[in-house]
Amino acid sequence: QVQLVESGGGLVQAGGSLRLSCAASGRIFSCFDMSWYRQGSGKERDFVARITWNDASKYYTDSVKGRFAISRDNANNTMYLQMNSLKPEDTAIYHCNARCYTRGIVTDYWGQGTQVTVSS
């Protein structure tokens, strides 16, 4: 089992910045990548960014490229999302995801989310 806890959300004006954190615990050694997803009010959960745990390859959805940066601290089992130049359309609950092998099966683990609200 893997447990994920997000933090760092809040209210910010358009153009501002926030840094989200995702602290992971449990069987982290079985995980091969971690991601951020977000879900706006009345919308589906969408992919934002991913980082692989071994070589730190990074992937972003087009709408956040150049504004968001994903990173990880292996020593502390923590993933970050630095969000700059925030826009009102970035308002959502941001969820941390870890993809891991559990009993040989690829399993997705999710945190409860942290609210990000960007005012215009």
Side-chain angles (χ1 to χ4, degrees):
Q1 293 285 347
V2 174
Q3 295 79 41
L4 304 171
V5 179
E6 302 97 334
S7 61
L11 173 63
V12 64
Q13 288 189 331
S17 298
L18 283 174
R19 187 194 196 202
L20 306 184
S21 299
C22 173
S25 60
R27 299 174 63 86
I28 304 303
F29 59 87
S30 69
C31 302
F32 51 92
D33 68 38
M34 292 185 70
S35 302
W36 289 97
Y37 285 73
R38 63 187 180 187
Q39 187 166 16
S41 180
K43 298 181 180 179
E44 294 186 352
R45 189 173 296 186
D46 292 327
F47 168 76
V48 176
R50 174 176 296 117
I51 187 166
T52 59
W53 214 242
N54 57 351
D55 65 357
S57 296
K58 302 172 183 179
Y59 308 89
Y60 299 93
T61 192
D62 286 346
S63 63
V64 308
K65 286 179 181 177
R67 300 189 298 123
F68 290 10
I70 191 170
S71 61
R72 54 137 168 84
D73 179 350
N74 282 11
N76 292 307
N77 293 330
T78 302
M79 176 178 67
Y80 302 97
L81 186 68
Q82 178 66 43
M83 305 187 296
N84 299 324
S85 302
L86 282 162
K87 304 175 181 180
E89 52 263 44
D90 295 317
T91 295
I93 298 174
Y94 283 69
H95 294 272
C96 174
N97 165 272
R99 184 157 287 189
C100 317
Y101 288 106
T102 301
R103 299 187 185 90
I105 298 172
V106 176
T107 304
D108 282 305
Y109 295 92
W110 295 92
Q112 294 209 348
T114 185
Q115 176 71 49
V116 171
T117 303
V118 184
S119 63
S120 56

